[in-house]
Amino acid sequence: MNENLVYIITILGCVLSLLSMQHLFFGERIPAQDKRPEKIIVGKYELEISTILGVFLVSVITAILPYLLRIATPHILFPGEQSSQTVCNNLKGPYELRHGYIFVEKEDIRLRANNGHWQADDCRYLEPNKYALTGKDTTDFDIEIVIEKKFKKIATGTFEYDSKLLIENGKLLNRTFRLATEKEKKRRLVCNDKEKEKAKNTCYGIEMSKINNKINEALNIRQEEHKRLASRTCIPTSGKDSGDPILAFVCNDYTRVMNFMHTK
């Protein structure tokens, strides 16, 4: 049932009950005569008190019945609310990144998201017809810089952040997330073995001091970009792959696609 219709029915019930009460307490009465019951004048009509009492009782029931039904049978009266909760529960579980994507690219620095996971475990009731599927994202970001006119990976950092998927009237509304924090001791330097054998203070033939400066610059770029995106929302959509859910979050500069994971 449309929620606006419920409000209209409730208002009509309240108005009728108030009018009935007004006539019962303040209406002009006709005393009982010759076994005729006492009556009250309502406009051009003379109505028995029992009739007005009946209207009053019916109007009170009309006013409160929708809310009693809402408590007792929400899936019948408000199917949108029930479907939002059902959708949320059906999407709960662990997800993994389907494929990598370029998170941000600035001149000679690029960060690529790889090996991402989302542990979506909690469905939170927000308001009628609205739920939030919340969880924690963990994503590896590869740091790449231009070396010999090509992007090459020099390090990988792992970041964690909380995110939520809003569901309203049974439909996916948007995805939001908090600022990410880098997991301690999860940053890994990447150099080929031959470079390590030649000199421990170089990476791809570049001094480690310069490499570390580039890593710090890349992390600052990632943080600023994540802060910018956290103030906006991503448009979610869902699908199925062999019966399992797939979620895609379409953001301004990238699309994050997550596959449902089966745990042993």
Side-chain angles (χ1 to χ4, degrees), residues 109-150:
I109 295 177
R110 185 168 72 184
L111 286 98
R112 183 187 296 273
N114 281 307
N115 191 31
H117 295 86
W118 185 37
Q119 190 66 35
D121 290 332
D122 190 17
C123 281
R124 297 182 182 177
Y125 173 85
L126 300 178
E127 58 185 61
N129 305 331
K130 194 171 184 180
Y131 283 78
L133 176 61
T134 62
K136 184 177 291 294
D137 277 274
T138 303
T139 306
D140 290 343
F141 286 92
D142 293 339
I143 299 172
E144 303 174 347
I145 64 172
V146 174
I147 299 175
E148 297 177 351
K149 299 182 180 180
K150 293 182 180 180

Side-chain angles (χ1 to χ4, degrees), residues 6-152:
V6 173
Y7 292 144
I8 292 173
I9 293 173
T10 302
I11 291 171
L12 288 175
C14 291
V15 171
L16 285 173
S17 62
L18 289 174
L19 289 174
S20 301
M21 290 176 61
Q22 180 183 5
H23 286 92
L24 282 172
F25 290 104
F26 306 107
E28 184 179 352
R29 294 173 178 263
I30 300 176
Q33 294 179 353
D34 300 331
K35 297 183 180 181
R36 293 181 181 179
E38 185 179 11
K39 295 184 178 181
I40 295 177
I41 297 176
V42 180
K44 298 180 179 180
Y45 302 97
E46 298 177 359
L47 300 179
E48 295 181 5
I49 291 181
S50 60
T51 302
I52 298 178
L53 283 172
V55 172
F56 173 73
L57 291 175
V58 170
S59 60
V60 170
I61 294 173
T62 302
I64 66 174
L65 184 60
Y67 292 94
L68 294 177
L69 288 175
R70 182 173 188 165
I71 296 172
T73 55
H75 61 287
I76 296 176
L77 192 59
F78 291 89
E81 183 171 346
Q82 177 71 9
S83 61
S84 293
Q85 184 179 15
T86 301
V87 170
C88 190
N89 287 326
N90 288 342
L91 292 177
K92 284 171 61 176
Y95 291 82
E96 62 180 347
L97 192 64
R98 188 180 182 94
H99 52 72
Y101 58 87
I102 296 174
F103 179 71
V104 61
E105 183 176 336
K106 297 288 180 71
E107 298 179 356
D108 62 339
I109 295 177
R110 185 168 72 184
L111 286 98
R112 183 187 296 273
N114 281 307
N115 191 31
H117 295 86
W118 185 37
Q119 190 66 35
D121 290 332
D122 190 17
C123 281
R124 297 182 182 177
Y125 173 85
L126 300 178
E127 58 185 61
N129 305 331
K130 194 171 184 180
Y131 283 78
L133 176 61
T134 62
K136 184 177 291 294
D137 277 274
T138 303
T139 306
D140 290 343
F141 286 92
D142 293 339
I143 299 172
E144 303 174 347
I145 64 172
V146 174
I147 299 175
E148 297 177 351
K149 299 182 180 180
K150 293 182 180 180
F151 276 107
K152 293 185 178 182

Side-chain angles (χ1 to χ4, degrees), residues 136-175:
K136 184 177 291 294
D137 277 274
T138 303
T139 306
D140 290 343
F141 286 92
D142 293 339
I143 299 172
E144 303 174 347
I145 64 172
V146 174
I147 299 175
E148 297 177 351
K149 299 182 180 180
K150 293 182 180 180
F151 276 107
K152 293 185 178 182
K153 182 169 68 174
I154 60 172
T156 298
T158 301
F159 291 80
E160 286 186 345
Y161 50 95
D162 296 326
S163 62
K164 62 182 179 181
L165 173 61
L166 297 182
I167 304 168
E168 187 172 17
N169 295 324
K171 298 180 180 179
L172 307 186
L173 187 62
N174 60 53
R175 173 182 180 259

